[in-house]
Amino acid sequence: MTISSGIGMITGPGAVSKAQTNSFQVFIFTSLLFLSGYVLQQQTVHNIQRAIRPPPKPSPKPLPSVVAQQFGDPPGSKGHEAYQIQIATSQPAEGWKKVAYAQVVTDHRLVCNAVMVFGELHRQKSPAERLLLFPKAWADSTGAGDPYSDTSRRLLKRAAKRYGVVLQPIGTTLPGTNEDRPSSYSLASLFSLINYSRVLYLPPSGLLLKASLLDSLLVLPLERPLLAMPAESSLSIDSSSLLLVRPSTAEHDHILSSILSAESSVESPFKDLLSDPAAIRQPSASDQHYPLLAQTSALEQLPDVANVKDFWSSTGYVRISDAGLPGPEFDIPQAEFRKAMPSRPAAKRIWEELYDKFRDHRMDICGLDLEPWRKDV
């Protein structure tokens, strides 16, 4: 009796407590297993439902107002379902790897500006590819006797390494012409970029202000080989224009043929393509919007709104060019600087800020100060 009682006292309460603990652990484990299975089951059911009944297509997004005002709907695209879907998803038809910003640089002084543009596209996270076309003679030459060659090669390497720019050497437009002359090269090379469905060229020298507005142009369907917008309505369509290009071997060959037959020129190779007025979009502004593409010499005519910030938010790119001045790359004497300055307060403020920003970005990105201004430049 004593032994049995002793054994009962030893094994009774401890065994019950341990059994209760084990039962509670089993209950918790079983509950968690059930919950995890339930969640997994619900996810599987949801996936099956999505496969059977896909989500509705996204509703079309309106174009940014400044883009709609400047370029409008591409010719022939209104009402097309593919166009509406493309705008809704904000994706180029063949993906962002098939569209690109391309700069054609044939003058050493303009290499830095091209890198500045790509640097700003990188900073603003534009998803489009970046291409820099330059004379292949620069890659082959040792640069002897040219003080700019080493700097150009350094900047080209920086563009490729830091901003993911694809470097594309190009030959002269016409065989046998001088490889060292910028005039031996043509924007016709843009049509040779057949690995891309769309290419956007921005005229130098200038500043990229809002990449998302320009990205919108790469999303729009393009039903003609070329759309062009001069930086100022009085300018001819050449390297001073924004160009939206659909590369094509056939068009490239046709352009080269017209240059060889003197129907067009190396400087103005797109005479035939721009004979249709619908291929040219003149820059314009309204009381509500600044133009998508602006030029400093035309700031005087822009709306003098109270809030200057509107300019920076609704303008995609500004070409910095003024009569009597050699370009923003040069250290311009104050007397000449003031002569070219707009008189209206808002335009004057924007004008000064653009030149200041260009100088600062040139130093920050390229490590270059302004060039001395020589009257013969």
Side-chain angles (χ1 to χ4, degrees), residues 234-304:
S234 61
L235 296 175
S236 59
I237 306 298
D238 54 15
S239 60
S240 65
S241 303
L242 180 151
L243 302 175
L244 189 59
V245 174
R246 188 179 66 194
S248 160
T249 300
E251 289 293 347
H252 184 242
D253 292 344
H254 174 73
I255 294 169
L256 293 183
S257 177
S258 67
I259 294 175
L260 285 169
S261 63
E263 294 177 9
S264 60
S265 65
V266 174
E267 295 79 10
S268 301
F270 306 132
K271 184 178 179 180
D272 288 346
L273 294 176
L274 297 173
S275 59
D276 182 356
I280 303 174
R281 306 301 172 93
Q282 294 292 345
S284 61
S286 67
D287 293 337
Q288 291 79 34
H289 301 293
Y290 286 105
L292 177 68
L293 173 66
Q295 180 158 307
T296 50
S297 61
L299 289 178
E300 190 74 65
Q301 285 75 48
L302 295 184
D304 199 2

Side-chain angles (χ1 to χ4, degrees), residues 82-159:
Y83 169 79
Q84 297 296 337
I85 294 173
Q86 196 166 322
I87 298 301
T89 57
S90 295
Q91 290 281 340
E94 299 179 18
W96 286 105
K97 291 291 184 182
K98 297 293 288 183
V99 297
Y101 289 88
Q103 298 300 99
V104 182
V105 179
T106 59
D107 187 327
H108 288 293
R109 291 188 179 93
L110 297 179
V111 175
C112 174
N113 186 223
V115 179
M116 288 165 58
V117 168
F118 292 130
E120 192 61 21
L121 288 170
H122 175 80
R123 189 187 71 82
Q124 295 189 32
K125 296 180 172 59
S126 169
E129 297 292 287
R130 297 148 204 164
L131 310 175
L132 201 163
L133 284 64
F134 66 97
K136 64 179 181 181
W138 290 4
D140 300 335
S141 173
T142 59
D146 186 350
Y148 294 100
S149 293
D150 289 342
T151 299
S152 292
R153 280 192 285 270
R154 173 178 65 84
L155 293 176
L156 291 174
K157 291 178 182 178
R158 173 172 293 187

Side-chain angles (χ1 to χ4, degrees), residues 16-342:
V16 171
S17 177
K18 185 174 182 179
Q20 289 175 341
T21 300
N22 291 339
S23 298
F24 180 73
Q25 290 175 343
V26 169
F27 172 76
I28 293 296
F29 177 77
T30 304
S31 299
L32 291 175
L33 186 63
F34 171 78
L35 288 175
S36 63
Y38 177 78
V39 171
L40 182 61
Q41 181 190 47
Q42 292 302 307
Q43 288 177 341
T44 303
V45 171
H46 181 67
N47 291 337
I48 293 174
Q49 288 175 339
R50 289 187 63 185
I52 297 174
R53 185 182 58 191
K57 296 176 181 179
S59 58
K61 295 179 183 178
L63 286 175
S65 55
V66 66
V67 176
Q69 178 190 358
Q70 299 290 278
F71 271 77
D73 296 331
S77 64
K78 279 190 175 181
H80 287 193
E81 183 181 0
Y83 169 79
Q84 297 296 337
I85 294 173
Q86 196 166 322
I87 298 301
T89 57
S90 295
Q91 290 281 340
E94 299 179 18
W96 286 105
K97 291 291 184 182
K98 297 293 288 183
V99 297
Y101 289 88
Q103 298 300 99
V104 182
V105 179
T106 59
D107 187 327
H108 288 293
R109 291 188 179 93
L110 297 179
V111 175
C112 174
N113 186 223
V115 179
M116 288 165 58
V117 168
F118 292 130
E120 192 61 21
L121 288 170
H122 175 80
R123 189 187 71 82
Q124 295 189 32
K125 296 180 172 59
S126 169
E129 297 292 287
R130 297 148 204 164
L131 310 175
L132 201 163
L133 284 64
F134 66 97
K136 64 179 181 181
W138 290 4
D140 300 335
S141 173
T142 59
D146 186 350
Y148 294 100
S149 293
D150 289 342
T151 299
S152 292
R153 280 192 285 270
R154 173 178 65 84
L155 293 176
L156 291 174
K157 291 178 182 178
R158 173 172 293 187
K161 183 176 181 180
R162 186 171 296 182
Y163 306 127
V165 176
V166 177
L167 303 179
Q168 180 71 50
I170 57 174
T172 58
T173 302
L174 297 176
T177 51
N178 192 332
E179 294 181 337
D180 296 326
R181 291 183 179 178
S183 59
S184 297
Y185 302 88
S186 169
L187 292 178
S189 298
L190 295 171
F191 278 91
S192 69
L193 302 172
I194 58 174
N195 289 330
Y196 301 90
S197 61
R198 187 81 51 82
V199 169
L200 182 60
Y201 167 85
L202 301 174
S205 294
L207 288 174
L208 189 144
L209 302 185
K210 198 169 182 65
S212 60
L213 295 176
L214 300 172
D215 288 343
S216 298
L217 300 181
L218 295 170
V219 170
L220 297 178
L222 185 60
E223 299 191 355
R224 60 178 63 250
L226 176 67
L227 284 178
M229 177 187 285
E232 191 176 355
S233 57
S234 61
L235 296 175
S236 59
I237 306 298
D238 54 15
S239 60
S240 65
S241 303
L242 180 151
L243 302 175
L244 189 59
V245 174
R246 188 179 66 194
S248 160
T249 300
E251 289 293 347
H252 184 242
D253 292 344
H254 174 73
I255 294 169
L256 293 183
S257 177
S258 67
I259 294 175
L260 285 169
S261 63
E263 294 177 9
S264 60
S265 65
V266 174
E267 295 79 10
S268 301
F270 306 132
K271 184 178 179 180
D272 288 346
L273 294 176
L274 297 173
S275 59
D276 182 356
I280 303 174
R281 306 301 172 93
Q282 294 292 345
S284 61
S286 67
D287 293 337
Q288 291 79 34
H289 301 293
Y290 286 105
L292 177 68
L293 173 66
Q295 180 158 307
T296 50
S297 61
L299 289 178
E300 190 74 65
Q301 285 75 48
L302 295 184
D304 199 2
V305 295
N307 188 359
V308 177
K309 290 183 179 179
D310 290 347
F311 177 84
W312 306 103
S313 62
S314 64
T315 302
Y317 184 82
V318 184
R319 182 172 181 256
I320 303 178
S321 178
D322 293 278
L325 301 184
E329 296 88 1
F330 295 90
D331 189 8
I332 303 167
Q334 282 299 311
E336 301 295 331
F337 200 69
R338 285 192 294 269
K339 285 181 185 178
M341 192 178 294

